[in-house]
């Protein structure tokens, strides 16, 4: 009997190991596809058109003007944050969605970590169906949560990205980050 129990235990353990290996393989394959998809979105969103770049810079300039008027330091744009913001806007366009949570990237904090951005604090502002940086900023300034991100004194860096939506407007993403010390 002891041999039977032991044999059963070994067989069961081998089955678990084989099942575990199969599950691990599938997870690795899915993660590989997930990371390849993220890399593809990041690459596709990496180079804005001249019109898009001008609108990104216009919004950053207006945000910094408001910060300076409120006795805060201006934010520094980083290329990495801009790429992630563009990827977020592009993914919302692809998914025809509008949310701080994205099935591809997770929440904004998970998204930043996924793309290798370290931070002590972070915030995200989104806008959709807006046709200009001025319209986007006006809505953000009139929303307490969005305004808090713009005027948060701990934030040091910003990245802005946009993508055309399916309705003729723009999907805007602004990422605000305090560097990790």
């Amino acid at each position: 009997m002891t041999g039977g129990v032991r044999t059963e235990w070994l067989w069961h353990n081998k089955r678990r190991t084989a099942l575990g290996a199969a599950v691990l393989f599938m997870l690795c394959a899915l993660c590989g596809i997930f990371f390849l998809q993220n890399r593809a979105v990041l690459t596709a969103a990496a180079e804005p058109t001249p019109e898009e770049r001008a609108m990104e810079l216009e919004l950053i300039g207006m945000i910094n003007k408001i910060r300076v008027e409120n006795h805060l330091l201006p934010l520094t744009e980083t290329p990495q944050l801009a790429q992630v913001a563009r990827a977020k806007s592009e993914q919302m366009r692809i998914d025809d969605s509008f949310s701080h949570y994205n099935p591809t990237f997770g929440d904004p904090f998970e998204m930043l970590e996924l793309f290798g951005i370290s931070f002590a604090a972070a915030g995200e502002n989104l806008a959709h169906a807006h046709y200009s940086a001025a319209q986007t900023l006006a809505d953000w300034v009139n929303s307490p949560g969005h305004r808090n991100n713009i005027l948060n004194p701990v934030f040091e860096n910003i990245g802005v990205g946009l993508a055309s939506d399916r309705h003729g407007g723009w999907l805007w993403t602004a990422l605000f980050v305090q560097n990790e010390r």
Side-chain angles (χ1 to χ4, degrees), residues 2-141:
T2 305
V5 170
R6 188 163 216 215
T7 303
E8 175 68 20
W9 181 83
L10 288 173
W11 175 83
H12 197 62
N13 204 23
K14 284 182 187 175
R15 193 172 103 196
R16 279 191 199 166
T17 302
L19 181 62
V23 168
L24 183 60
F25 175 78
M26 290 298 291
L27 285 174
C28 288
L30 288 173
C31 287
I33 291 167
F34 180 72
F35 287 116
L36 286 176
Q37 181 184 6
N38 288 344
R39 180 168 282 137
V41 169
L42 185 59
T43 302
E47 292 300 321
T49 67
E51 176 190 16
E52 291 168 346
R53 184 66 183 136
M55 289 191 294
E56 291 170 356
L57 291 174
E58 182 182 7
L59 182 60
I60 292 168
M62 291 189 304
I63 287 171
N64 279 334
K65 183 176 184 262
I66 289 173
R67 286 179 62 87
V68 169
E69 288 170 356
N70 285 274
H71 311 291
L72 298 171
L73 292 174
L75 300 168
T76 302
E77 181 192 30
T78 68
Q80 299 84 3
L81 275 178
Q83 283 186 325
V84 176
R86 290 182 197 119
K88 173 68 177 267
S89 291
E90 180 64 17
Q91 191 62 45
M92 287 190 298
R93 184 194 66 76
I94 290 167
D95 295 340
D96 197 21
S97 66
F98 181 73
S99 175
H100 289 287
Y101 178 82
N102 181 280
T104 302
F105 299 127
D107 66 35
F109 313 109
E110 293 168 329
M111 178 181 65
L112 289 168
E113 290 172 352
L114 181 67
F115 287 112
I117 297 186
S118 300
F119 58 91
E124 177 184 70
N125 285 3
L126 301 176
H128 72 95
H130 287 70
Y131 300 97
S132 69
Q135 180 187 19
T136 301
L137 185 66
D139 282 356
W140 285 350
V141 167

